[in-house]
């Protein structure tokens, strides 16, 4: 995704979140780009925030009955995001996966 880096402060955070929503495949690269950027962390944007948002999106859009290859791709995509989660956000993702009735089930 193309980021408008002329934005500043909260508008830049909104731009990054918009990009992560538009292309979840790009989220691992976005996470690496924001990792260690104190300014963004102060604004509430951390690798864990991006990873949790993208992981929840993957959970809600997964198609559990579309074959083994699709399931493996979904698992690999989630695995790439989970490693960036804080323990609290990992717990949040687990609770969502187990309790949210809008998450597709096989």
């Amino acid at each position: 995704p193309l980021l408008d880096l002329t934005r500043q402060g909260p508008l830049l955070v909104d731009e990054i979140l918009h990009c992560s929503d538009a292309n979840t495949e790009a989220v691992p690269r976005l996470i690496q780009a924001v990792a260690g950027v104190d300014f963004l962390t102060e604004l509430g944007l951390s690798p864990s925030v991006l990873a949790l948002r993208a992981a929840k999106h993957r959970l809600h859009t997964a198609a559990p009955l579309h074959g083994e290859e699709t399931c493996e791709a979904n698992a690999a995509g989630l695995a790439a995001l989970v490693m960036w989660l804080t323990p609290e956000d990992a717990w949040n993702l687990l609770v969502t996966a187990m309790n949210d009735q809008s998450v597709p089930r096989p």
Side-chain angles (χ1 to χ4, degrees):
L2 296 175
L3 283 172
D4 180 0
L5 297 176
T6 62
R7 296 181 177 222
Q8 298 178 0
L11 293 177
L12 179 57
V13 171
D14 290 343
E15 180 71 10
I16 293 169
L17 292 175
H18 174 72
C19 272
S20 74
D21 292 344
N23 183 357
T24 58
E25 298 299 320
V27 172
R29 291 189 312 258
L30 285 172
I31 289 171
Q32 291 173 345
V34 304
V37 179
D38 293 336
F39 171 73
L40 292 173
T41 302
E42 290 170 11
L43 292 173
L45 186 65
S46 67
S48 187
V49 167
L50 278 174
L52 180 61
R53 185 179 179 113
K56 283 185 174 183
H57 183 268
R58 270 191 181 272
L59 280 179
H60 286 99
T61 59
L65 300 176
H66 282 35
E68 187 175 329
E69 191 173 303
T70 301
C71 288
E72 287 179 15
N74 283 334
L78 279 172
L81 297 170
V82 168
M83 68 182 207
W84 291 98
L85 295 175
T86 63
E88 295 81 13
D89 285 344
W91 178 253
N92 184 322
L93 180 62
L94 180 61
V95 169
T96 299
M98 298 302 294
N99 296 334
D100 189 334
Q101 296 302 313
S102 65
V103 173
R105 311 262 183 228

